[in-house]
Amino acid sequence: SSEVLPRDTEDTYNGGVTDKYRWSQTLTELDVLVDLPAGSKAKDVTVVIENTHLKVFVTKLQEEILIRGELPYKVLTDSSIWMVESGVIHISLEKAKERMWGHVFVGEEEIDLTKVEAIQEIEDLDPESHAAVNRVMFDQHQKMQGKPQSHELATYGLLEKA
């Protein structure tokens, strides 16, 4: 079973824990952490990232599949990466569309998406959305100080030209 864990658990932020891996996500990225089996080395690891499939296995004497399955949505394979660090396989999948995922693999129990934080950093917004957020923040600041907001300033500018 998989459940949303508190925000302070970075490995599972907006994600969960299964018996095989831990996962977290933002609107644009999904991170999967798999513990490297005892006695395995980074060179034994193979990660296959396809548009809608993920497979992680180690090969020593024979192939041992750690996780494998169909992803619920597409990922961008060229922007997705993986590495092994401190005995953990870190897989970072770039989502093809901004959305929160209920699970990593089709058929697994889904987390409660009403409890995730679907926040996007201002720096990650497109220029038009970034400008709109800045305008709203400016207007809020002006309003709190009793000063004219952007639409009022624009009106004053037009009146002065008339």
Side-chain angles (χ1 to χ4, degrees):
S1 75
S2 192
E3 62 179 274
V4 178
L5 294 175
R7 181 186 169 98
D8 58 359
T9 312
E10 194 173 306
D11 286 355
T12 55
Y13 174 63
N14 282 339
V17 177
T18 72
D19 56 343
K20 297 182 178 184
Y21 62 90
R22 301 172 301 287
W23 65 286
S24 62
Q25 66 178 323
T26 64
L27 281 169
T28 57
E29 206 171 271
L30 184 108
D31 293 316
V32 180
L33 303 175
V34 182
D35 291 325
L36 192 62
S40 300
K41 296 182 173 19
K43 66 181 171 93
D44 302 328
V45 176
T46 303
V47 176
V48 180
I49 301 170
E50 297 174 348
N51 284 59
T52 56
H53 286 84
L54 175 65
K55 179 180 176 182
V56 179
F57 61 95
V58 292
T59 306
K60 290 183 278 189
L61 297 173
Q62 64 187 41
E63 184 178 298
E64 178 189 349
I65 296 172
L66 303 178
I67 59 172
R68 170 177 57 190
E70 181 184 349
L71 303 170
Y73 305 103
K74 286 186 176 182
V75 296
L76 303 175
T77 55
D78 291 344
S79 307
S80 298
I81 58 170
W82 67 275
M83 66 178 189
V84 178
E85 183 181 62
S86 304
V88 178
I89 305 163
H90 295 255
I91 305 143
S92 181
L93 303 173
E94 187 78 25
K95 296 176 180 178
K97 287 189 177 166
E98 290 185 10
R99 64 164 16 119
M100 298 310 277
W101 291 20
H103 49 204
V104 175
F105 296 116
V106 172
E108 288 186 330
E109 185 179 333
E110 292 196 33
I111 61 170
D112 183 351
L113 289 175
T114 63
K115 295 183 178 166
V116 301
E117 291 184 44
I119 307 169
Q120 187 171 26
E121 298 295 326
I122 291 176
E123 299 80 39
D124 295 339
L125 295 173
D126 61 85
E128 194 175 296
S129 299
H130 196 174
V133 169
N134 282 339
R135 186 172 50 255
V136 168
M137 290 170 57
F138 172 81
D139 286 346
Q140 182 113 18
H141 182 75
Q142 291 289 95
K143 188 175 183 179
M144 287 172 55
Q145 293 187 343
K147 295 180 179 175
Q149 297 174 36
S150 57
H151 66 279
E152 295 167 325
L153 290 171
T155 303
Y156 296 147
L158 289 175
L159 291 174
E160 285 178 358
K161 290 179 184 174

